[in-house]
Every structure is written in structure tokens, then in C-alpha cells.
Amino acid sequence: MRNFIKAAGRLFGSASPEDDHAKGLKAHERKDYKTALDAWLAAAGAGHADAQYRLGRLYDLGQGVVRNAVDAVGWYRQAAEQGHGEAQARLAEIYYYGCGQPKGIVPSDEALSVLFPNGLKIEQDYKEALRWACAAAEGGVVGAQAMLGYMYASGFGIEPDYAAAERWYRTAADQGNAAAQLGLGTLLAGGYAGTSDPAAAHQWFRKAAEQNNVMAWYYIGTQYAGGLGVEQDYAEAADWFRKAAEAGAAAAQRALGLLYARGLGVSADPQMAETWLRKAAVQGDAEAMFQLGHLNSRGGGMQPNLFDAATWYRAAGELGHREAQKIIAQMYFAGSGVPRDEMEAVRWLERAAGQGDPQAQLRVGALYAEGRGVTRDYDRALDWFRRAADQGNTDAVYNIGMLHSLGLGVPRDPVGAIQWLERAASQGSVQAQFRLGAAYASGDGVAQDYAAAVEWSRKAAEQGHAGAMVNLGRFRMQGLGGERDIPEAIRLLTSAADQKEAAAMTALGELHGHWSDHKDFVQARAWLERAAALGEGRAKTLLERIPAPAPSNESERNGVGLSRAAGEG
């Protein structure tokens, strides 16, 4: 019956949806988009799914019509709801990445708002993207299977599911899809779905590379450079990087530039290094910009150029490279390659800190506490220290303790300070260990406990902290927190004195002049004089209590005794 109706339609001049669809295909092959549009509109109006999909493509590509993602999605959706796999796959892509309006289109143009009442832009919608990708993948569309693998692996908009990612990647990879082969190799190399298997990853990268997948060339180069799944071979790595670099892959251009900079697999050549790094940088590769900053600041066989180094560091920093932001900040602090400008330096450090860099957060907190480059603000200092401390930065934990101890930015809280210092000390902070030792000795914020003072002071002293050596030396000298041990006290205090620690010299003067069982006023005076010369007030006071040694007789005062003794010898 259906064939009869189609035949009758042809007899009386009307075309079937199939005929209109076929007419559109032929017109499209001739690039006669107007005829194709009219034919597919007729077929699509009759519910022909592929004609609806083809109309979506015309609007998607701007063929015979003004390019408009909204109209494209409208036609794709009609086809997709009838189970058209390619339409479903394209819908998934559009919703996943979003689609902006064509260049040159002004949203406020009244004529355009009349022509396109639904707008010209599609916002990202991960939920819709996942729905249509699943439909297309389950319908056997290989590209959608690869995309679904990517969606589950990347976790953008959905929870990462590496097992599902591997399953869909493998399904598409086994059918020869290069993107899926690359994705599967990446999962295996990183061990995302289990144990890392770089050797298996290499095989999948090879399959994708055979299909001229540029990123597969780059990943193979990375494997040879790192000896991952293959024997390390920088020359082989350079060949693969070059292949990808010449095809325009920025990551490969950067990698090849670094090999030239370091002379790995190729002869060291700073000019070639600069050439390839610049190619990557021009494409917006922030790491390449950062490396160009290094190349220009260190020279590496070229004349160092701090101005150019600063330019590249700044460019990388503008793209969010945290290490570049910290370096350009330091350059502004030092006036190296740029004018000295502490306010600008703080601005760059705050950008790195705002991205979560704990060292930058620590430094910014210290700058607010010092009032350097910014108005002193202990509240803001405390906030930055807390952010760094939350990431395990021990110095920030210590600084918070000190702010509580001194009552800066918070009410003075010796007990709270001890808690912060203990946290920092347990993480290995030498300064915190020293402060805890002093706090337990003085009873500031904690019950006085010389045994605990000795324990914390020893931890800091063993790491070379001169102040802790002085305190521990005094404890040993006086028998606080343990037995008196004069030899140990002398060892500790002498070690600190060797670091030009005036308090250690004063303590040695006290030891020899008072605490030792065998007093030596000459030694005592010598140490106190050294401490006094360094401005130690206590040493000056103690010196007044030790009389200067008097010569035994007049001849010794005139130096005769020394000459006679020498002669007698």
C-alpha cells in the first residue's frame, strides 16, 4: 500500500519524504545549499529523521543559512528523539562544550532578535550532554562512545568514573577510533582505573599514532623521555616530539625546546630551544612561556636578558602560572629586569596565593604582618596564614601561633598560641620547637615544665637552632629538667657561639665564672667581652662584676718576665 501511495504521489507530482531527502543529498554534493535546504525542509516536515539531522548540520556549519547553534540544536533534537545516533552524538558535543554566537553578531541588534527570538548561543549543560552521549553510545555510534569515555574520565559536570571511562574507551578503541585509543592509553598510563600499565598504554598510543593522531605522537615521546613502558631513549623522544611539534602541538614544541635547552637526545642548542619554546608560547602555552623566562634569566648559552625574562614570566603569570607569578613578584621586589615596585610584587603574589599556592599564601601573610608593599593588616595576615596552614604549611601554623602569642589580629591568647605551636612543632618546625621550649621554661600559656622545655629545646638544637642550643645549654649548666652536665653545656654553648650567637657567649661567661666547679675567670671574661662587643647588655653588666686580672709583679707588667722565661727555656 505504501509503495502504491508513493507511486501515486510521483504520478500526480508530489514527492515522498525519501525523495526529498535524496534530492537534498544530491544538491548538497553539488554545494547547492539552497536546494538542499528546501528539499530537507520538506522531508523534515514529514518527520524524516535524517533530513532533520541534515538541516541541523546546515545551521551548525552555516551552509546556505546564517550559522545558528540554536536552530541547529532544534533540528538535531527532533532527529535525536527519533533515535538518530549522529544527531544524538552532536547534541552531546554541543551541550558539553557549549556553543557561542557567531563572530560579528551583535546581541542587541533588533533585527537579529526578531529573526532569532531564541538567541544564537547554547550554554553548557553537562546533564543534557551525558543523556545524549549515552543514547548515541548505546546505539553504537563509535564517536559518541569515545566521547562518553572522555566525559567519565574528565569528570566535568559529573562524578569521574574511571571504570566506565575505560569500558567505553575500549569499546570505541577496539573499533579503531583514534581518540578512544589515545584516551585508553592515558587511563592506563596514569593508573586511573587501577594499577598503572605504561607498557599497555604504549601499545594503544602506537595504534592512535598510526592514524596520525598528533597527541599520540607527543605521548609516545613523553614515554621515551621518561622511560615509561619503554626503555628511556631521549633521541627517540626527540624524534616523536619533533613529529608532533611540526604538526603544531604546543606541548610537543615545548618538550622539544626543553630537550634542546638541556642537550638531551639532541645537541644542546639554546637558539633552537628558544625557537621551539617560542612556537609553543605563541599558541598560549603558559609552561613554555615560563621556560622562556628561565632561558632568558639564566642564559643557558645565550646572553642573559632579565627584561625578556620578566616579559615571559609576566605572560605566563597572566595565564595563571603560579610559579611564574611568584618569580615575577620576586623580580619586582628586587628590581631585577623590572622597576622595583613592592606594591606590584604583592599584587602578583596575591594572584598566586588566590590560586591556592601555600608558599605564596605564607609570603602574602607575612607581608601584611610586616606592612611591606601593603598597609599593615594583621587580620588579613591571619587569614592568609590560615589558608596556608589548612594546606599543611608548617611555617604558617607557626606564624598563627606567634600572632596569638603576641595578640596581633586576635586577642592575646597564650594557651591558644601553645596549641598552634605544638601543631607546628609536631610537623617539624624548628622555630616552633624552640618557642615551645622557651614557653615551658617560662610557664607562658602552659604550666612550667623544665623536662618538657629540655625535650623541645633538644629537638630544635639537633636541627642547628642556635637559640635552642643556648637554652638547652643553660638547662644543662643549671641542672634544670635533668642532671647538671657542664661538658654538655659547654659543647652546646660553644656550638651556638660559633654561629656568632651573643647570648651563647654570655652564657659561657657565666658558666666559667659561676656555674663550673672549676671556675676560670680569664675564660669567663674573654667570653663576656666578645658578647659585649656584639652589644649584649647582660654581658656588659656581668663584666663589671669580674675584676680585670692583675699582673703578679712589676717585671711581668713590663714584659721582662716573659722574656726571662723564654730565655730560660
Side-chain angles (χ1 to χ4, degrees):
M1 183 69 176
R2 180 174 296 178
N3 290 336
F4 174 76
I5 293 173
K6 290 172 68 176
R10 285 193 295 272
L11 178 65
F12 292 103
S14 64
S16 70
E18 287 292 344
D19 289 338
D20 286 328
H21 175 254
K23 179 181 178 182
L25 290 175
K26 290 179 180 178
H28 193 267
E29 287 178 7
R30 301 191 306 270
K31 298 185 179 181
D32 182 355
Y33 301 127
K34 177 65 171 62
T35 299
L37 175 68
D38 292 341
W40 284 336
L41 278 171
H48 194 288
D50 194 63
Q52 293 164 345
Y53 167 70
R54 300 286 175 178
L55 281 171
R57 292 295 291 169
L58 290 181
Y59 281 101
D60 205 351
L61 301 173
Q63 294 178 337
V65 292
V66 175
R67 184 171 178 267
N68 182 358
V70 175
D71 285 344
V73 165
W75 286 112
Y76 284 145
R77 185 178 289 276
Q78 290 188 49
E81 287 171 349
Q82 294 192 67
H84 193 289
E86 292 298 330
Q88 293 168 341
R90 182 58 186 144
L91 273 179
E93 290 177 349
I94 291 175
Y95 279 117
Y96 191 76
Y97 296 107
C99 192
Q101 61 191 31
K103 292 181 180 179
I105 297 295
V106 180
S108 60
D109 191 308
E110 293 183 8
L112 286 172
S113 66
V114 173
L115 290 171
F116 305 106
N118 296 321
L120 294 164
K121 183 179 180 181
I122 298 294
E123 299 291 345
Q124 283 181 306
D125 187 332
Y126 292 122
K127 184 177 179 180
E128 277 292 279
L130 181 63
R131 178 167 83 92
W132 290 115
C134 285
E138 289 166 0
V141 179
V142 177
Q145 293 167 346
M147 183 181 179
L148 192 55
Y150 174 75
M151 291 173 70
Y152 279 120
S154 66
F156 290 128
I158 60 173
E159 284 295 317
D161 185 338
Y162 298 119
E166 182 178 2
R167 182 173 69 254
W168 284 111
Y169 269 148
R170 197 175 292 276
T171 298
D174 286 338
Q175 297 177 71
N177 183 278
Q181 291 165 345
L182 181 73
L184 181 57
T186 304
L187 281 182
L188 293 170
Y192 293 103
T195 304
S196 175
D197 190 348
H202 185 75
Q203 297 306 313
W204 285 110
F205 290 149
R206 285 276 184 177
K207 289 179 182 293
E210 289 168 1
Q211 298 188 64
N212 295 325
N213 185 289
V214 175
M215 290 309 296
W217 297 338
Y218 165 69
Y219 286 142
I220 292 172
T222 301
Q223 286 194 300
Y224 277 111
L228 303 170
V230 293
E231 191 166 341
Q232 191 174 54
D233 187 334
Y234 286 113
E236 186 75 9
D239 288 343
W240 285 102
F241 285 149
R242 189 183 309 280
K243 192 172 182 178
E246 289 174 347
Q253 292 167 344
R254 182 210 326 132
L256 185 58
L258 290 175
L259 290 185
Y260 275 111
R262 298 164 185 171
L264 298 173
V266 292
S267 298
D269 188 332
Q271 280 73 33
M272 286 297 292
E274 198 272 346
T275 295
W276 284 111
L277 287 172
R278 187 180 291 272
K279 286 178 181 290
V282 168
Q283 293 195 64
D285 189 297
E287 181 63 24
M289 298 172 187
F290 178 67
Q291 294 297 337
L292 278 168
H294 280 351
L295 191 65
N296 281 279
S297 64
R298 297 169 183 171
M302 300 191 306
Q303 184 71 23
N305 187 325
L306 293 178
F307 176 82
D308 283 354
T311 299
W312 286 115
Y313 284 136
R314 190 185 298 106
E318 291 287 1
L319 293 177
H321 196 292
R322 297 191 307 189
E323 290 302 315
Q325 290 166 346
K326 290 191 290 185
I327 290 176
I328 192 65
Q330 190 56 43
M331 294 180 83
Y332 275 110
F333 273 126
S336 178
V338 293
R340 190 172 184 276
D341 187 336
E342 291 192 344
M343 292 181 64
E344 185 70 2
V346 173
R347 187 178 76 83
W348 279 107
L349 271 179
E350 283 191 315
R351 290 185 67 172
Q355 292 186 82
D357 188 286
Q359 284 298 324
Q361 291 168 343
L362 172 69
R363 186 80 188 282
V364 171
L367 291 170
Y368 273 107
E370 297 166 6
R372 183 180 174 191
V374 291
T375 302
R376 179 172 285 167
D377 187 331
Y378 290 115
D379 289 335
R380 296 190 72 173
L382 185 61
D383 177 59
W384 284 114
F385 288 148
R386 286 186 184 278
R387 296 190 200 190
D390 288 343
Q391 296 192 68
N393 187 284
T394 302
D395 290 333
V397 176
Y398 167 76
N399 287 350
I400 295 172
M402 292 307 298
L403 289 180
H404 280 79
S405 177
L406 299 170
L408 301 174
V410 290
R412 188 173 185 276
D413 181 5
V415 175
I418 291 295
Q419 294 173 348
W420 283 103
L421 291 175
E422 285 181 336
R423 176 177 162 185
S426 65
Q427 293 175 8
S429 169
V430 179
Q431 278 293 104
Q433 292 165 353
F434 163 65
R435 294 289 179 184
L436 273 179
Y440 274 107
S442 65
D444 185 18
V446 67
Q448 191 175 53
D449 183 341
Y450 280 111
V454 166
E455 184 60 28
W456 284 114
S457 297
R458 180 189 295 110
K459 289 179 182 293
E462 288 173 349
Q463 297 185 67
H465 191 286
M469 292 178 187
V470 173
N471 287 352
L472 187 57
R474 284 189 172 277
F475 298 151
R476 288 289 176 246
M477 178 174 75
Q478 299 177 47
L480 299 173
E483 296 292 326
R484 286 183 69 210
D485 189 337
I486 296 299
E488 177 68 2
I490 292 174
R491 183 188 70 80
L492 287 163
L493 294 171
T494 302
S495 294
D498 289 342
Q499 297 183 44
K500 303 294 187 293
E501 183 65 43
M505 299 172 190
T506 302
L508 281 166
E510 292 183 63
L511 184 150
H512 288 293
H514 178 72
W515 294 100
S516 175
D517 294 332
H518 305 285
K519 296 176 177 55
D520 185 337
F521 294 113
V522 174
Q523 278 269 56
R525 188 171 187 83
W527 281 114
L528 291 172
E529 285 176 344
R530 286 181 61 184
L534 293 173
E536 179 77 358
R538 179 174 171 76
K540 295 176 183 178
T541 301
L542 292 173
L543 267 174
E544 295 174 358
R545 301 176 185 176
I546 301 178
S552 59
N553 54 52
E554 187 66 28
S555 61
E556 287 184 354
R557 280 197 296 271
N558 295 328
V560 176
L562 178 60
S563 299
R564 185 174 64 233
E568 289 174 353

